[in-house]
Structures are given as structure tokens and as C-alpha cells.
Amino acid sequence: MLTVPDLLGLRLGKLASAVDDWEVMARRLGELAGGEGGGDSAALLKRRAELADWKGVNATVGKAFVVRTASEFDDAVTSARSVLAVLQGAHKAFAHHKEEMERVADSAAKRNIRITPGGGAEARSPGNAAKDGAPTQMDLIVTMRDATHILQEADETDRIAERALRALARGKHDFSDVRVHSLDHAKDLQGRADADRWAKDIAKGDVADWSDAKLARFNEDLDRYRDTPAFAERFATELGAEGTLRFWRDLAHPADTSGVVDRERAEILGCVQENLSLTLAAATRVDSPATDAWKKDLIEAGGQRLPAAPGAAAGASPYGFDVMSSLMLKGKFDTKFLQDYGGALLEHEKGLSPFESRPPASRFNHLPGDVPGDAVSGFMESLGHNPEASLQFFHSGPDAQNHWDYLVGHGEGSRNSLYDAAAPLLGSDLRDQYETSLGHALESAATQTPYDAEASPRPHSDASASFVNRLVDYYGSNPQYLEDSQLRGSMGNITAEYMRDFQDGMNGARELKTYGSNANIGNLPMSTVRDFLGTVGTGPGAYGAILNAQQSTTTQLVHETFQNPDGLSATKVDEDVVNKVAPGAEIAGIMAEARTQAVYDNRIAANEEFNNGIDTAGKWAERAVTFGVSGIPYVGEAVGWIAEDARESVVEKYSRDSSEGAEKERQDFLDDQFEQSGDATYDAVYSAARQQGESHAEAAVVADAACQSVKLHYRTARQGEGGAN
């Protein structure tokens, strides 16, 4: 295991010399084998031996020996070129790892962080911290993450290179005829070999009897190769469709234990489940006849019950869909496969008695947290990790309307109607799990990024924007479907992602530029939009996401006016600022009503939960401002101060004291929010004006005007929600 000092002190001179030596060796052997230099060669010797008139014993023994010996020169060239390719790849990779670690170490030193040999991160001595400033907890986490990742990559490079070189040197009496083209190719070859080895072991059966140590070794290989298509394809196709399902069924739910495993083994199984899911996802993305057949067989096996394992208890013969969907919670599965699989799964479920195929949530799931308890919910998670597939499945694909009606809709025969009918028997857990997973799928389709990804946002497409319009229209027209629903969290994230579109739609004829295609929220009745926002905002997490995005977007819009006045007079600039803060004020007012409804009226959440929602949704302040708009770059310092100001303002202005005895009466709370919303806007406008060089007096005038406008539109929103100030 390499350490940080090992990598920083790495001397690559000897490795570079070895590369040079093997370049010479490969060239000279090539000349000896093929006569590239114009002299005698093994190829010439082989031709002469084959054409010579051999007599007696030499006709068999002597000739065969000469021909075989001559052929060994070809293998020697192959081995030499393979060694050269491995060494070149290792040299390039280690140089990159060292450079990356130096970059992380330099950045850490500037932030007063020391990186430990194992890749950990800790603050330097208190004396230095007092002088230079102590690093934040997030600084330490990011540094440790980056350093650990580089060490892991360096270890993997070392492992691949060592194994490849040992394999090339394994023959005692001859050279290998296997050509290794690169370090990546070496990993592919090793992956196929390891996949074959594990597939043969699994075929023996009794996987439930694997020791924890063996299961951990299997998981290590899955983790190592989970992004290696060569391993994924070989492993999946060697097991076959039914073999894949039987393997996880027997491993995750042992027949002789009724599925109960101890905590340590459950943790290992959770890791295996995640890595196996990632591996199978990679396999579906490989374009080959073997994987095409495997995917087809997998879908066909979904609607069949797996034969019970020997000694299994009654009811231990699940449908293939029940097993496979538990292996689709992580990773990006192929888009077409998800359309075919999902369509077959829904048809299968519709043909059963309500909830017949839903096994207990713990049967095949060992991942931590609240995991899906049925096959459809598990499939929704896979859509949540493939935005293109999710958008097709719900909105743009040929069967999208049927899928929407069954999964999202509330009509007769829909999943929601079945939950309504079975609620007294099932309780709320299964429905909560389903709504959470469905929300992830809808969020993925709307935002065009996996719901749990930290990736930069993508410009909204025509299809994704129209999908958001559809969601707002449906749930805004039927807000009762979101009341106390787990869907509110994802709807809040979608709203935060499309905050510019919401503010544009609520800004009348005054157009605001959006990030990509416009969701055209303004084409919907404003009562529908307000009902959507008001119901979504009763969820603490959604409330926090919306407020953070709203504050950040409003600050950004004001900043655009000051940055690009386009010849406007000072008066016109002030008017433009006042207009741009208006829709944000309405949204803040709607959020205030939503919070009071949840805390004071329906008592479904506490102020502390809303405070936590503000804190945990802070990422939306930065995410909203990084969207940018055509012609207006938002990078570096601008992103930093806008996002930070927005986060601080939301926490300061909208968090409430939730200690015992500190709860305010409903109207007092709303009055306080009214003032705080105006103050938050004043701060945003004043800060933006000062950033663009306005004097204190000039900034105060426009900020005060914006504050008054906010209070006016805040009242409008409150009255639209049934309140008044």
C-alpha cells in the first residue's frame, strides 16, 4: 500500500530508463525475428527449414525443433513489446499520480492542512491555525477525499503493472504469445481472467456458505472492476441470466437462515450489492451479441419464479424481477434495456393480484438506509441514475403516457389507487419508499442529471423543460396528491433547479433568461403555480431547497442588471432591479405560508425540521448561480460571493428559534417572516450594487426600493395563499 510520502518522493528516473532499454530491446528483437534490419533473421531461418529437404530423424525431430525455435522469436518480440507497453503506461500513470498528489498537498498547505501518510487530513498546529486561519471541516473532508482517491488510483496502477509483468515472465522455457497493448488493456485481460474464475466458483453452488473472508475478496474484485466493461461483460454472460438471479437470491437470502444474517456479514453484503449493481449496469452498456442475449434472457426470466434452492422455506421462490430490481439501485443501466425491462416489469405487475409480488424490504436488500421494498420501486431508482432513460420512460417514449398513468397518475388501476385501497393493510412504509424512489426518477428526468450526482447542471432541453411544465400543471392542479408525500423532496429539488423558470413565469411580461429551454411556467394559471409551490413547500427539505435557490437566483438577477446595464439610466437600472426581485418575493411569501401550514395548522413538521432543511439544502444556493445564462459568465469570484451571501442570508433570515417555549403564534411568525424577507432582499441588492462599484448611498437607495417592492409582492403572494399582512 503506497503512502503519500511514497508518492510525493517517487523517483521515476529508473522507470524511464527501463522504458528506454525495452524500446531498444523490442526493436532489436524485431530485427532478429523478422529481419527488419536487413540481415539474417528467425523468419528467414524458419522459411529455409520449411523448404529444406530433411532426411531420416531430422525430417521430424530436427525440422520441428528449428521451426519451433524460430517461432519463439516472434513470441519474444510480442513479450518485449508487451513489457514495453506496461512500463510506458506505468510511467505515465505514476507521473500523473505524483503530479495530482503534489497539487492536493500544495492546496492543503495553503489552507493550513497537513495530509497524513495514509491520506487523512488534519489541521496544522494551533499556533499556525491562529495565525493563518483554521481550515473548515469541509476543507478537511475534501482534502482527505482527494488524497485517498489518488492513493487508490496509484495502488491500482501498481497492482495492474506488477501482475502484468509477472504474467509475462511466468514461462520458464518459452515466451508468452499474449500481446498487451497498454496498461488499460492489461486490466481488461486481468478482469476477464478474474471474471472466469469467479463464475466457475459460483457455478459450483453453495454461495451462501462462502466465508466472510471469501465474500470480502469477491467484493474487492467487484469494486476493482466495477467500471471495467471487459470484466462486467464476461462475468454477467458467464453466469447467464438465471445464474445471475440465482446467485444473488442465494447469497442475499440464504435458504437455511430465513434471510437473517449477522451485522458484519450484512455490511459486506451491502457492499457486494452496490458493486454488483454497478457491475451489471456496466454489462448492459457493452455492445456485443453475448450481452444482448443476456439482457433479453434477463427480462424473460423476470416474470418467472426462480426455482427454490434446496432446503428453502415456503415462499422462497421470488419472481426474477424481485431479485434483479434489488440489483439496480446503483449505477447507470443502458437506456434501451431500461425501457424494455421497465415495460415488461409493469405488465408483469398488472397481471398479478395487488402487491402479490412485493417481498419484504429486507429480503434482497442489504444496503444501509431506507431501501425500496418492491421491484417497481427498485426500478425507479435505476431510472433515477439514468436521466435519458427516465425522460423517455415518463415523457418522450412511445409508452410514456401509459407509464405516467400507472406510476404517477391516480386514476382507476393506477399504482396510487392500489395503495389507497390497501393502506389499512400495508401501512405507510411501502408507499413512502415508492414515492421516494418515484421522486428520484422524476427528478432525474427533469434535471437531466442523476438525482444524487454532484455533477454540474446541464442546460435544460426542450423535453426536460416541457416535462417540468407537465409536473407543475399536474400537481399544482391536484395539490392533494402531494400533501404529506415523500414526493415533495424531489419536487423541491426540481423547483430549485428551475428557479429561473419559475421566477420568469411569475414575472409577467418582463422576460428573464433561463438556463436552456424555458419551462414556460407563465403559460400555466398562476393559481396552479402557487398551489404547486405552496404544497411542495410544506416539506422541510423542499422548503430549504426552494428558499436557497430563490435567494441565490434573485441576487444573481440583480447582479446581471448592475453588470450589464446596456445603457440604462440610473433610474431605469433601479426599476429593473425592483422588477427582478418581485417574483422571488412572491415565492418567499408562498414559502412562509407553506411553513406555517405545516408547523401551526396541520402540525406535520416542526420549526427545527425546517431549520435543518435550510441547512442541508445549502448546495442549491451555489448550484442555482452556476447555471449562468448565455452571454453572462458566472465563474470564480462571482459564484463564490453570490452563493455565500445567499446561504448566509437564508440561514439568518429564515431560521427560527425552535427551543421549547420559543414557538410564536401563527400571525406573529408570518409578520416576522414578512420583515425578514424584505431584509434578505435589501442585503442581496445592496451587496450586488457594492460589488459593481456603487457608493453606499446609491446602493442603499436601490436596495430600499427593492425591499419595499418585495414587501408588496410578498403580501400579494400571502393573499393568494389565503393570508394577509
Side-chain angles (χ1 to χ4, degrees):
M1 181 74 177
L2 289 169
T3 66
V4 172
D6 289 338
L7 204 50
L8 292 176
L10 194 61
R11 296 182 179 180
L12 297 171
K14 289 185 177 180
L15 185 54
S17 296
V19 170
D20 293 339
D21 292 343
W22 277 96
E23 283 181 334
V24 174
M25 177 66 73
R27 185 180 68 252
R28 289 179 177 175
L29 284 172
E31 292 172 354
L32 286 173
E36 297 170 9
D40 291 336
S41 66
L44 179 60
L45 176 62
K46 182 179 179 181
R47 286 196 299 273
R48 288 176 177 174
E50 290 172 337
L51 295 173
D53 186 17
W54 297 84
K55 302 294 185 182
V57 175
N58 280 335
T60 54
V61 179
K63 179 180 179 181
F65 174 76
V66 172
V67 170
R68 186 171 66 251
T69 301
S71 298
E72 276 295 302
F73 276 87
D74 290 332
D75 290 346
V77 174
T78 298
S79 291
R81 289 173 177 168
S82 296
V83 170
L84 175 60
V86 172
L87 294 178
Q88 285 175 326
H91 183 272
K92 181 179 180 181
F94 277 122
H96 174 71
H97 301 324
K98 181 180 181 181
E99 181 181 343
E100 286 293 287
M101 188 61 80
E102 288 173 342
R103 178 185 59 78
V104 171
D106 289 344
S107 175
K110 292 176 182 177
R111 289 177 289 169
N112 205 28
I113 296 173
R114 187 181 80 85
I115 302 178
T116 66
E122 58 188 25
R124 278 199 243 162
S125 66
N128 288 336
K131 181 178 67 174
D132 303 326
T136 66
Q137 186 64 27
M138 183 56 66
D139 287 337
L140 294 172
I141 292 173
V142 170
T143 299
M144 180 175 68
R145 182 197 63 193
D146 292 346
T148 302
H149 178 68
I150 295 169
L151 283 181
Q152 290 172 341
E153 287 190 328
D155 274 327
E156 183 68 357
T157 296
D158 190 43
R159 186 197 65 80
I160 296 169
E162 179 187 10
R163 181 172 170 180
L165 293 174
R166 288 186 182 278
L168 290 169
R170 185 172 296 128
K172 293 182 179 180
H173 305 294
D174 56 8
F175 294 96
S176 171
D177 61 353
V178 176
R179 176 67 193 275
V180 180
H181 302 284
S182 65
L183 207 59
D184 287 339
H185 184 222
K187 185 174 183 178
D188 286 347
L189 295 174
Q190 293 167 19
R192 291 191 185 98
D194 288 341
D196 288 339
R197 175 170 54 83
W198 283 114
K200 289 178 181 177
D201 205 342
I202 291 169
K204 297 175 184 177
D206 299 325
V207 295
D209 295 331
W210 282 6
S211 67
D212 288 356
K214 182 174 182 177
L215 190 59
R217 290 196 300 273
F218 174 64
N219 182 62
E220 287 176 3
D221 273 354
L222 286 180
D223 185 55
R224 177 176 295 122
Y225 293 118
R226 65 186 189 180
D227 295 322
T228 304
F231 173 86
E233 177 192 25
R234 182 66 65 89
F235 181 76
T237 56
E238 284 297 306
L239 284 185
E242 187 172 318
T244 302
L245 299 174
R246 282 174 178 262
F247 168 60
W248 184 242
R249 187 271 312 272
D250 295 343
L251 193 61
H253 189 76
D256 59 349
T257 64
S258 299
V260 179
V261 296
D262 61 50
R263 184 174 61 83
E264 184 176 352
R265 188 168 180 85
E267 289 178 359
I268 302 174
L269 284 170
C271 294
V272 171
Q273 184 179 356
E274 177 174 350
N275 286 322
L276 184 56
S277 179
L278 291 165
T279 297
L280 298 181
T284 65
R285 301 196 303 272
V286 175
D287 184 13
S288 74
T291 53
D292 288 344
W294 175 76
K295 288 185 284 188
K296 180 176 179 291
D297 293 344
L298 198 61
I299 294 172
E300 290 181 356
Q304 307 298 319
R305 287 194 182 275
L306 289 176
S317 299
Y319 287 104
F321 285 127
D322 293 327
V323 178
M324 185 59 199
S325 290
S326 70
L327 294 175
M328 299 175 72
L329 306 183
K330 302 290 181 179
K332 181 181 180 181
F333 283 76
D334 174 67
T335 297
K336 185 179 185 306
F337 170 74
L338 289 179
Q339 306 305 306
D340 296 341
Y341 180 94
L345 169 61
L346 296 191
E347 287 305 308
H348 163 73
E349 182 177 81
K350 292 174 185 177
L352 301 173
S353 300
F355 302 101
E356 175 187 334
S357 66
R358 288 153 182 76
S362 60
R363 178 172 288 185
F364 306 114
N365 279 310
H366 293 280
L367 291 171
D370 190 17
V371 293
D374 67 89
V376 172
S377 297
F379 172 66
M380 290 296 102
E381 291 293 327
S382 70
L383 290 180
H385 292 110
N386 186 330
E388 179 185 0
S390 188
L391 191 59
Q392 284 187 25
F393 199 79
F394 285 107
H395 191 60
S396 59
D399 298 315
Q401 187 60 51
N402 291 334
H403 298 158
W404 172 282
D405 291 341
Y406 182 67
L407 296 169
V408 181
H410 286 71
E412 184 178 353
S414 68
R415 237 180 172 246
N416 284 300
S417 69
L418 297 178
Y419 275 121
D420 290 339
L425 178 64
L426 293 176
S428 61
D429 286 351
L430 272 178
R431 185 166 196 162
D432 285 350
Q433 291 165 356
Y434 171 62
E435 288 179 343
T436 297
S437 297
L438 173 62
H440 293 163
L442 299 178
E443 187 177 341
S444 166
T447 64
Q448 287 299 274
T449 55
Y451 78 90
D452 55 355
E454 296 297 330
S456 298
R458 298 172 55 189
H460 304 144
S461 66
D462 288 345
S464 63
S466 68
F467 183 61
V468 171
N469 184 284
R470 182 182 187 184
L471 288 172
V472 176
D473 187 23
Y474 181 72
Y475 286 114
S477 300
N478 304 280
Q480 69 275 15
Y481 296 154
L482 288 179
E483 290 177 0
D484 201 20
S485 169
Q486 298 301 313
L487 282 169
R488 290 174 300 170
S490 288
M491 292 301 117
N493 291 342
I494 292 170
T495 303
E497 170 97 6
Y498 281 80
M499 183 52 65
R500 274 182 168 266
D501 303 66
F502 276 88
Q503 295 194 204
D504 172 63
M506 300 175 74
N507 206 33
R510 299 182 295 272
E511 181 183 0
L512 302 178
K513 294 180 180 178
T514 59
Y515 189 54
S517 297
N518 196 319
N520 295 317
I521 302 298
N523 292 346
L524 301 173
M526 276 301 101
S527 60
T528 298
V529 177
R530 291 190 180 101
D531 284 346
F532 174 83
L533 290 171
T535 310
V536 171
T538 59
Y543 170 90
I546 292 171
L547 273 183
N548 273 287
Q550 181 274 126
Q551 183 71 16
S552 189
T553 300
T554 298
T555 305
Q556 183 186 29
L557 290 170
V558 172
H559 182 250
E560 288 172 11
T561 294
F562 286 116
Q563 187 183 33
N564 300 275
D566 294 328
L568 296 175
S569 66
T571 301
K572 290 294 184 181
V573 168
D574 292 357
E575 289 178 2
D576 194 55
V577 168
V578 168
N579 289 334
K580 284 183 174 179
V581 301
E586 287 197 50
I587 292 173
I590 294 170
M591 289 301 101
E593 277 292 334
R595 180 167 176 166
T596 55
Q597 181 182 344
V599 174
Y600 297 101
D601 299 345
N602 299 334
R603 300 189 181 278
I604 58 176
N607 266 323
E608 184 177 1
E609 295 177 74
F610 282 91
N611 292 344
N612 290 337
I614 289 172
D615 289 338
T616 57
K619 73 169 187 177
W620 286 104
E622 183 168 353
R623 187 172 173 84
V625 78
T626 55
F627 290 159
V629 188
S630 177
I632 303 174
Y634 280 89
V635 294
E637 186 177 346
V639 169
W641 75 257
I642 291 176
E644 190 59 33
D645 280 3
R647 272 194 298 265
E648 290 179 357
S649 184
V650 170
V651 170
E652 178 186 351
K653 308 300 183 185
Y654 296 105
S655 295
R656 299 270 68 82
D657 186 354
S658 58
S659 61
E660 186 176 353
E663 294 289 346
K664 297 183 178 182
E665 293 297 327
R666 186 185 198 279
Q667 191 58 46
D668 291 339
F669 173 81
L670 286 170
D671 290 342
D672 183 58
Q673 289 280 276
F674 172 73
E675 294 296 333
Q676 294 296 343
S677 183
D679 291 346
T681 300
Y682 183 98
D683 291 348
V685 174
Y686 180 85
S687 180
R690 293 289 283 166
Q691 284 285 339
Q692 292 303 314
E694 300 286 336
S695 68
H696 163 70
E698 292 168 333
V701 168
V702 67
D704 186 64
C707 177
Q708 297 308 313
S709 174
V710 160
K711 290 182 176 180
L712 173 64
H713 287 87
Y714 184 99
R715 286 194 183 96
T716 301
R718 288 262 357 271
Q719 290 166 350
E721 290 296 299
N725 279 110

